[in-house]
Amino acid sequence: MGRIRNGGSPAAALAHRLLGFSTLPFLASALPLIALPIVARAASTDDWAAMNVGLSVGAFAAAVGLVGWNILGTPLVALAQSEDERHRLYARSFYIRIVVVVIASAISAVVASAISPSGTWAVASTFATASALNGISLSWYAVGVAAPRLVLLYEVLPRTIATAGALGIVLLTGDVVYYGLLLCLSVFIGTIAFHTTLHGRLFPEWPGFRALRNDVEDMRHAWGTESVGSLYANAPVPLAGIVAAPAAAAVFASNDKIYRYGILGVGAAGNALQGWVLEAQDHHRRKRNVAALLLMAVIAVIGWLVLAVFGPALSGWMFGADKQGDPVAFGYFAIAFIGVTMSTPLIRNVLIPARKERQVFVFTLIAALAGVLAMALLGANFGIVGVAAGFAISEIATLIACIYLTLRTGLAHHETSTGLSEA
């Protein structure tokens, strides 16, 4: 499976990437957009809160399970010199990730069950597991080889079928657990199908313990950055479940869900822009970095407007009047959205390719600790609005740190490393 390279102008290449890596993730989320209003109405208030607690806890577990490959793996694959080298990189990533994902999934299921409303452990644990399994995602690899069709065939299609099937089952039974179970199944089917196509076997060739040990050592800062960043990014809903009553936690879950839909756009645009920027060198790299920042700024403004102005009405329409998001909390989520959107291209396109992952990890850790502390303290005193305010503080702090480090690094850097240690 060779790497796709785009001919034509840089603008045409960017348009191709944006269409591929922006449209496909939204296709993956199109049926959930239809399904969630049905699920929200079929679920009780407690089940809705438990479902979103599980998804948030599982998302953190997924970030841990990626072992840094979602950050550092993409540029490594993009800079690989041969198809065999790219295949070996994926194989090495898979074996370490699957071990961590299994452990993280089990822990996330227990944690989600413990902090969810009484009697909802099955819903919380199922959706925590479904979310955690995204740690074996292949999206980062698809971005590196500039092949959006991989996302379409092995992530979008299985998830779409699972969601469509879940609609009928939830309507018939009124039990949202089946939705989570089908999402879990879709991840396994997509991954096995990808392996069969890429490697001609159910599982990639075993790379050896030495290679995996070297990879973990090389990935440790990227792994820490993604894990810690995900900790505070996904902390709001679990913390709201702890500090607020179930009804208020369910309302806050709707705030968070609308915010997450916006983050899908940020991630999709970030994926598309990363490969486009990294193709260039010297002053061309600088120009593309500037263009990427301008595009992400437009997304930030649009996201702020949708969340701050239209968020309450949108959440009420989608999830029901009893689960409509809090207007003040939406204002803080809008601020957080700006922070995430603008820090994404700085981390992906400047700092990580320049192998500044250690510095990124340090300031991410500081922002995470401060953010979780702020969410906990403000949440204890001001409820769900306090949690949202603490979340906004953490994301803006991360953005400020990214700007500072980027000014010191520059926008026209060269990579200092093109691969991981070989076995």
Side-chain angles (χ1 to χ4, degrees), residues 224-252:
T225 297
E226 182 152 31
S227 299
V228 172
S230 179
L231 174 62
Y232 70 81
N234 291 288
V237 171
L239 282 174
I242 294 172
V243 303
V251 166
F252 188 81

Side-chain angles (χ1 to χ4, degrees), residues 15-68:
H16 178 272
R17 289 182 182 274
L18 285 173
L19 286 173
F21 289 111
S22 297
T23 302
L24 293 179
F26 278 111
L27 284 176
S29 63
L31 272 177
L33 281 171
I34 299 172
L36 278 177
I38 297 173
V39 171
R41 286 165 172 79
S44 66
T45 299
D46 285 0
D47 281 345
W48 178 246
M51 173 182 168
N52 285 281
V53 167
L55 289 171
S56 295
V57 174
F60 169 64
V64 174
L66 281 163
V67 197

Side-chain angles (χ1 to χ4, degrees), residues 291-305 337 341-342:
L293 288 169
L294 291 175
L295 181 58
M296 296 301 280
V298 172
I299 295 174
V301 172
I302 294 173
W304 179 89
L305 182 66
F337 185 86
T341 304
M342 297 311 300

Side-chain angles (χ1 to χ4, degrees), residues 259 263 300 303-305 307-308 328-343 388-397 399:
Y259 168 79
I263 292 300
W304 179 89
L305 182 66
L307 288 167
V328 179
F330 265 122
Y332 287 116
F333 270 107
I335 295 172
F337 185 86
I338 293 174
V340 173
T341 304
M342 297 311 300
S343 63
F391 181 52
I393 290 172
S394 66
E395 294 295 0
I396 293 300
L399 174 59

Side-chain angles (χ1 to χ4, degrees), residues 8 29 43 50 59 64 73 109 133 140 147 155 163 170 183 188 200 210 221 235 248 251-253 306 323 340 361 387:
S29 63
V64 174
L133 289 176
W140 63 271
E155 292 195 346
T163 304
V170 170
L183 287 177
F188 289 122
R210 180 182 176 188
H221 291 123
V251 166
F252 188 81
V306 171
K323 302 180 183 74
V340 173
F361 170 68
V387 175

Side-chain angles (χ1 to χ4, degrees), residues 362-420:
V362 171
F363 72 63
T364 301
L365 178 61
I366 295 172
L369 294 175
V372 171
L373 180 61
M375 282 184 267
L377 292 177
L378 293 174
N381 288 280
F382 302 103
I384 59 175
V385 171
V387 175
F391 181 52
I393 290 172
S394 66
E395 294 295 0
I396 293 300
T398 299
L399 174 59
I400 293 172
C402 285
I403 293 173
Y404 170 75
L405 192 53
T406 297
L407 290 175
R408 297 189 60 184
T409 303
L411 299 179
H413 59 272
H414 292 278
E415 287 73 20
T416 59
S417 176
T418 60
L420 297 174

Side-chain angles (χ1 to χ4, degrees), residues 163-180:
T163 304
L167 281 176
I169 297 175
V170 170
L171 286 174
L172 286 173
T173 66
D175 191 346
V176 298
V177 168
Y178 292 107
Y179 183 25

